Amino acid sequence: RGTNNIKSQELISQELESMYGASFDCGIEKTGDNHVFKFYLESLSDEFLPAKEDLSKKSIEILLDIVFNPLIENGGFKAEYVEGEKNNTFKSDYVSSEKENIKVLIESKIDNKDAYAFNRCVEEMYKDKPYGLYKYGYIEDLEKITPQNLYEYYKKMISECKIDIFCSGITEN
């Protein structure tokens, strides 16, 4: 939701909009025992721009900023983003938390009966093994997550895990 350079999701969206409507997304997938975190930034090719700009370079810089320079406050991710925060008495001013977003994803897994049956089978067959873990984890574990321990885990993951970076598009000869 923010970086140390671009402080909020709103500012990231404004930056992407100024880049001819570039889009950013991220997600989690599970392949065997591995969790795969994916970060995407899609933008126009420089050759289609009305003026000479280096949008490809700017896109890569923003993507790297999001991944490697997240917004940190008090030794952790911004608490408002992890835990949520009520700005005032109006419910519409409540900022939802990433923990709440994950809880909704975990709770909604039962809505797809085939996938739910498969996931439950895998969980039972591979209890206490990485392969048996649901990709978004479990609701009971969300309480243990703090902005600080989540950031510590993120730093560990960034420093120790394999990272592949792919860029695709038209190249100049």
mmCIF file of all heavy atoms in Angstrom, residues 51-80:
data_model
loop_
_atom_site.group_PDB
_atom_site.id
_atom_site.type_symbol
_atom_site.label_atom_id
_atom_site.label_comp_id
_atom_site.label_asym_id
_atom_site.label_seq_id
_atom_site.Cartn_x
_atom_site.Cartn_y
_atom_site.Cartn_z
ATOM 1 N N ALA A 51 5.343 11.229 -26.759
ATOM 2 C CA ALA A 51 6.612 11.953 -26.589
ATOM 3 C C ALA A 51 7.690 10.957 -26.180
ATOM 4 O O ALA A 51 7.395 9.880 -25.675
ATOM 5 C CB ALA A 51 6.463 13.035 -25.520
ATOM 6 N N LYS A 52 8.921 11.339 -26.397
ATOM 7 C CA LYS A 52 10.045 10.475 -26.006
ATOM 8 C C LYS A 52 10.112 10.409 -24.484
ATOM 9 O O LYS A 52 10.452 11.381 -23.817
ATOM 10 C CB LYS A 52 11.347 11.046 -26.578
ATOM 11 C CG LYS A 52 12.569 10.244 -26.229
ATOM 12 C CD LYS A 52 12.849 9.206 -27.286
ATOM 13 C CE LYS A 52 14.185 8.553 -26.979
ATOM 14 N NZ LYS A 52 14.117 7.146 -26.913
ATOM 15 N N GLU A 53 9.714 9.274 -23.934
ATOM 16 C CA GLU A 53 9.772 9.051 -22.488
ATOM 17 C C GLU A 53 10.396 7.680 -22.263
ATOM 18 O O GLU A 53 10.339 6.824 -23.129
ATOM 19 C CB GLU A 53 8.366 9.056 -21.868
ATOM 20 C CG GLU A 53 7.643 10.379 -21.954
ATOM 21 C CD GLU A 53 6.270 10.312 -21.311
ATOM 22 O OE1 GLU A 53 6.194 9.882 -20.146
ATOM 23 O OE2 GLU A 53 5.302 10.685 -21.969
ATOM 24 N N ASP A 54 10.940 7.488 -21.090
ATOM 25 C CA ASP A 54 11.481 6.180 -20.734
ATOM 26 C C ASP A 54 10.542 5.551 -19.705
ATOM 27 O O ASP A 54 10.882 5.396 -18.535
ATOM 28 C CB ASP A 54 12.908 6.320 -20.198
ATOM 29 C CG ASP A 54 13.658 4.995 -20.258
ATOM 30 O OD1 ASP A 54 13.012 3.951 -20.512
ATOM 31 O OD2 ASP A 54 14.881 5.012 -20.049
ATOM 32 N N LEU A 55 9.335 5.216 -20.170
ATOM 33 C CA LEU A 55 8.318 4.649 -19.291
ATOM 34 C C LEU A 55 8.715 3.258 -18.801
ATOM 35 O O LEU A 55 8.387 2.880 -17.676
ATOM 36 C CB LEU A 55 6.975 4.614 -20.020
ATOM 37 C CG LEU A 55 5.729 4.410 -19.174
ATOM 38 C CD1 LEU A 55 5.607 5.485 -18.111
ATOM 39 C CD2 LEU A 55 4.490 4.384 -20.049
ATOM 40 N N SER A 56 9.432 2.517 -19.615
ATOM 41 C CA SER A 56 9.884 1.184 -19.194
ATOM 42 C C SER A 56 10.783 1.290 -17.969
ATOM 43 O O SER A 56 10.619 0.557 -16.996
ATOM 44 C CB SER A 56 10.624 0.485 -20.329
ATOM 45 O OG SER A 56 9.775 0.287 -21.414
ATOM 46 N N LYS A 57 11.721 2.212 -18.019
ATOM 47 C CA LYS A 57 12.632 2.406 -16.890
ATOM 48 C C LYS A 57 11.858 2.851 -15.649
ATOM 49 O O LYS A 57 12.075 2.329 -14.550
ATOM 50 C CB LYS A 57 13.699 3.444 -17.238
ATOM 51 C CG LYS A 57 14.684 3.688 -16.106
ATOM 52 C CD LYS A 57 15.714 4.725 -16.487
ATOM 53 C CE LYS A 57 16.648 4.963 -15.298
ATOM 54 N NZ LYS A 57 17.524 6.091 -15.518
ATOM 55 N N LYS A 58 10.935 3.790 -15.814
ATOM 56 C CA LYS A 58 10.137 4.269 -14.681
ATOM 57 C C LYS A 58 9.291 3.137 -14.095
ATOM 58 O O LYS A 58 9.167 3.018 -12.879
ATOM 59 C CB LYS A 58 9.247 5.434 -15.122
ATOM 60 C CG LYS A 58 8.500 6.079 -13.987
ATOM 61 C CD LYS A 58 7.776 7.330 -14.441
ATOM 62 C CE LYS A 58 7.101 7.997 -13.253
ATOM 63 N NZ LYS A 58 6.394 9.221 -13.654
ATOM 64 N N SER A 59 8.748 2.285 -14.946
ATOM 65 C CA SER A 59 7.947 1.145 -14.486
ATOM 66 C C SER A 59 8.781 0.200 -13.626
ATOM 67 O O SER A 59 8.346 -0.230 -12.555
ATOM 68 C CB SER A 59 7.379 0.378 -15.684
ATOM 69 O OG SER A 59 6.515 1.182 -16.432
ATOM 70 N N ILE A 60 9.971 -0.101 -14.090
ATOM 71 C CA ILE A 60 10.855 -0.994 -13.332
ATOM 72 C C ILE A 60 11.256 -0.352 -12.009
ATOM 73 O O ILE A 60 11.271 -1.016 -10.966
ATOM 74 C CB ILE A 60 12.087 -1.385 -14.182
ATOM 75 C CG1 ILE A 60 11.640 -2.270 -15.350
ATOM 76 C CG2 ILE A 60 13.142 -2.083 -13.338
ATOM 77 C CD1 ILE A 60 12.690 -2.493 -16.413
ATOM 78 N N GLU A 61 11.548 0.932 -12.030
ATOM 79 C CA GLU A 61 11.922 1.634 -10.790
ATOM 80 C C GLU A 61 10.792 1.603 -9.767
ATOM 81 O O GLU A 61 11.025 1.359 -8.580
ATOM 82 C CB GLU A 61 12.314 3.079 -11.098
ATOM 83 C CG GLU A 61 13.656 3.202 -11.788
ATOM 84 C CD GLU A 61 13.956 4.608 -12.297
ATOM 85 O OE1 GLU A 61 13.044 5.484 -12.283
ATOM 86 O OE2 GLU A 61 15.109 4.831 -12.717
ATOM 87 N N ILE A 62 9.560 1.826 -10.205
ATOM 88 C CA ILE A 62 8.423 1.795 -9.275
ATOM 89 C C ILE A 62 8.203 0.387 -8.737
ATOM 90 O O ILE A 62 7.983 0.190 -7.540
ATOM 91 C CB ILE A 62 7.151 2.357 -9.947
ATOM 92 C CG1 ILE A 62 7.292 3.872 -10.120
ATOM 93 C CG2 ILE A 62 5.902 2.028 -9.127
ATOM 94 C CD1 ILE A 62 6.169 4.521 -10.879
ATOM 95 N N LEU A 63 8.271 -0.603 -9.602
ATOM 96 C CA LEU A 63 8.093 -1.984 -9.165
ATOM 97 C C LEU A 63 9.153 -2.372 -8.136
ATOM 98 O O LEU A 63 8.835 -2.942 -7.085
ATOM 99 C CB LEU A 63 8.132 -2.929 -10.362
ATOM 100 C CG LEU A 63 7.874 -4.400 -10.056
ATOM 101 C CD1 LEU A 63 6.499 -4.603 -9.449
ATOM 102 C CD2 LEU A 63 8.030 -5.225 -11.320
ATOM 103 N N LEU A 64 10.399 -2.042 -8.402
ATOM 104 C CA LEU A 64 11.472 -2.353 -7.457
ATOM 105 C C LEU A 64 11.293 -1.580 -6.150
ATOM 106 O O LEU A 64 11.583 -2.108 -5.070
ATOM 107 C CB LEU A 64 12.835 -2.062 -8.084
ATOM 108 C CG LEU A 64 13.229 -2.976 -9.248
ATOM 109 C CD1 LEU A 64 14.537 -2.509 -9.875
ATOM 110 C CD2 LEU A 64 13.318 -4.426 -8.816
ATOM 111 N N ASP A 65 10.800 -0.350 -6.233
ATOM 112 C CA ASP A 65 10.534 0.444 -5.033
ATOM 113 C C ASP A 65 9.457 -0.223 -4.173
ATOM 114 O O ASP A 65 9.603 -0.332 -2.961
ATOM 115 C CB ASP A 65 10.102 1.861 -5.439
ATOM 116 C CG ASP A 65 10.063 2.827 -4.271
ATOM 117 O OD1 ASP A 65 10.992 2.794 -3.433
ATOM 118 O OD2 ASP A 65 9.108 3.625 -4.201
ATOM 119 N N ILE A 66 8.410 -0.707 -4.810
ATOM 120 C CA ILE A 66 7.325 -1.375 -4.077
ATOM 121 C C ILE A 66 7.844 -2.639 -3.385
ATOM 122 O O ILE A 66 7.549 -2.890 -2.220
ATOM 123 C CB ILE A 66 6.150 -1.695 -5.021
ATOM 124 C CG1 ILE A 66 5.445 -0.395 -5.444
ATOM 125 C CG2 ILE A 66 5.162 -2.655 -4.364
ATOM 126 C CD1 ILE A 66 4.427 -0.560 -6.569
ATOM 127 N N VAL A 67 8.630 -3.433 -4.105
ATOM 128 C CA VAL A 67 9.092 -4.713 -3.560
ATOM 129 C C VAL A 67 10.193 -4.533 -2.515
ATOM 130 O O VAL A 67 10.153 -5.142 -1.446
ATOM 131 C CB VAL A 67 9.577 -5.641 -4.696
ATOM 132 C CG1 VAL A 67 10.183 -6.927 -4.133
ATOM 133 C CG2 VAL A 67 8.435 -5.961 -5.650
ATOM 134 N N PHE A 68 11.171 -3.674 -2.800
ATOM 135 C CA PHE A 68 12.363 -3.609 -1.959
ATOM 136 C C PHE A 68 12.428 -2.406 -1.023
ATOM 137 O O PHE A 68 13.360 -2.296 -0.232
ATOM 138 C CB PHE A 68 13.625 -3.629 -2.833
ATOM 139 C CG PHE A 68 13.791 -4.919 -3.585
ATOM 140 C CD1 PHE A 68 13.578 -4.966 -4.954
ATOM 141 C CD2 PHE A 68 14.132 -6.090 -2.932
ATOM 142 C CE1 PHE A 68 13.719 -6.154 -5.661
ATOM 143 C CE2 PHE A 68 14.275 -7.282 -3.617
ATOM 144 C CZ PHE A 68 14.068 -7.315 -4.992
ATOM 145 N N ASN A 69 11.451 -1.527 -1.086
ATOM 146 C CA ASN A 69 11.472 -0.328 -0.251
ATOM 147 C C ASN A 69 10.075 -0.041 0.314
ATOM 148 O O ASN A 69 9.541 1.053 0.145
ATOM 149 C CB ASN A 69 11.985 0.858 -1.088
ATOM 150 C CG ASN A 69 12.269 2.077 -0.260
ATOM 151 O OD1 ASN A 69 12.616 1.990 0.905
ATOM 152 N ND2 ASN A 69 12.110 3.239 -0.862
ATOM 153 N N PRO A 70 9.461 -1.015 0.993
ATOM 154 C CA PRO A 70 8.101 -0.812 1.498
ATOM 155 C C PRO A 70 8.055 0.271 2.577
ATOM 156 O O PRO A 70 9.058 0.563 3.225
ATOM 157 C CB PRO A 70 7.725 -2.183 2.071
ATOM 158 C CG PRO A 70 9.027 -2.805 2.432
ATOM 159 C CD PRO A 70 10.010 -2.304 1.403
ATOM 160 N N LEU A 71 6.881 0.844 2.742
ATOM 161 C CA LEU A 71 6.677 1.876 3.755
ATOM 162 C C LEU A 71 6.830 1.267 5.148
ATOM 163 O O LEU A 71 6.125 0.327 5.506
ATOM 164 C CB LEU A 71 5.292 2.506 3.606
ATOM 165 C CG LEU A 71 4.934 3.604 4.590
ATOM 166 C CD1 LEU A 71 5.914 4.775 4.484
ATOM 167 C CD2 LEU A 71 3.514 4.088 4.351
ATOM 168 N N ILE A 72 7.783 1.803 5.918
ATOM 169 C CA ILE A 72 8.082 1.297 7.260
ATOM 170 C C ILE A 72 7.866 2.409 8.273
ATOM 171 O O ILE A 72 8.302 3.542 8.068
ATOM 172 C CB ILE A 72 9.548 0.799 7.336
ATOM 173 C CG1 ILE A 72 9.813 -0.270 6.278
ATOM 174 C CG2 ILE A 72 9.896 0.300 8.733
ATOM 175 C CD1 ILE A 72 8.871 -1.446 6.320
ATOM 176 N N GLU A 73 7.190 2.062 9.363
ATOM 177 C CA GLU A 73 6.999 2.982 10.488
ATOM 178 C C GLU A 73 7.183 2.189 11.780
ATOM 179 O O GLU A 73 6.660 1.079 11.898
ATOM 180 C CB GLU A 73 5.598 3.600 10.468
ATOM 181 C CG GLU A 73 5.364 4.546 9.321
ATOM 182 C CD GLU A 73 3.975 5.184 9.350
ATOM 183 O OE1 GLU A 73 3.122 4.767 10.164
ATOM 184 O OE2 GLU A 73 3.744 6.090 8.537
ATOM 185 N N ASN A 74 7.912 2.737 12.720
ATOM 186 C CA ASN A 74 8.121 2.096 14.034
ATOM 187 C C ASN A 74 8.637 0.665 13.915
ATOM 188 O O ASN A 74 8.187 -0.233 14.623
ATOM 189 C CB ASN A 74 6.830 2.130 14.855
ATOM 190 C CG ASN A 74 6.331 3.539 15.068
ATOM 191 O OD1 ASN A 74 7.110 4.444 15.359
ATOM 192 N ND2 ASN A 74 5.028 3.730 14.904
ATOM 193 N N GLY A 75 9.559 0.440 13.000
ATOM 194 C CA GLY A 75 10.189 -0.875 12.879
ATOM 195 C C GLY A 75 9.330 -1.938 12.224
ATOM 196 O O GLY A 75 9.642 -3.117 12.310
ATOM 197 N N GLY A 76 8.246 -1.541 11.569
ATOM 198 C CA GLY A 76 7.383 -2.512 10.909
ATOM 199 C C GLY A 76 6.609 -1.866 9.784
ATOM 200 O O GLY A 76 6.739 -0.669 9.523
ATOM 201 N N PHE A 77 5.798 -2.693 9.111
ATOM 202 C CA PHE A 77 4.914 -2.128 8.100
ATOM 203 C C PHE A 77 3.958 -1.156 8.785
ATOM 204 O O PHE A 77 3.709 -1.263 9.988
ATOM 205 C CB PHE A 77 4.109 -3.228 7.406
ATOM 206 C CG PHE A 77 4.933 -4.097 6.494
ATOM 207 C CD1 PHE A 77 5.035 -5.455 6.717
ATOM 208 C CD2 PHE A 77 5.592 -3.562 5.400
ATOM 209 C CE1 PHE A 77 5.778 -6.264 5.879
ATOM 210 C CE2 PHE A 77 6.342 -4.358 4.551
ATOM 211 C CZ PHE A 77 6.436 -5.709 4.793
ATOM 212 N N LYS A 78 3.422 -0.220 8.045
ATOM 213 C CA LYS A 78 2.520 0.771 8.616
ATOM 214 C C LYS A 78 1.341 0.062 9.287
ATOM 215 O O LYS A 78 0.620 -0.714 8.657
ATOM 216 C CB LYS A 78 2.030 1.730 7.527
ATOM 217 C CG LYS A 78 1.231 2.883 8.078
ATOM 218 C CD LYS A 78 0.966 3.929 7.021
ATOM 219 C CE LYS A 78 0.211 5.092 7.653
ATOM 220 N NZ LYS A 78 0.056 6.199 6.710
ATOM 221 N N ALA A 79 1.158 0.316 10.582
ATOM 222 C CA ALA A 79 0.153 -0.381 11.379
ATOM 223 C C ALA A 79 -1.247 -0.224 10.801
ATOM 224 O O ALA A 79 -2.037 -1.167 10.794
ATOM 225 C CB ALA A 79 0.194 0.110 12.823
ATOM 226 N N GLU A 80 -1.549 0.950 10.310
ATOM 227 C CA GLU A 80 -2.880 1.202 9.726
ATOM 228 C C GLU A 80 -3.162 0.229 8.591
ATOM 229 O O GLU A 80 -4.283 -0.240 8.425
ATOM 230 C CB GLU A 80 -2.922 2.639 9.206
ATOM 231 C CG GLU A 80 -4.176 3.008 8.463
ATOM 232 C CD GLU A 80 -4.091 4.411 7.887
ATOM 233 O OE1 GLU A 80 -3.430 5.284 8.472
ATOM 234 O OE2 GLU A 80 -4.687 4.624 6.823
#
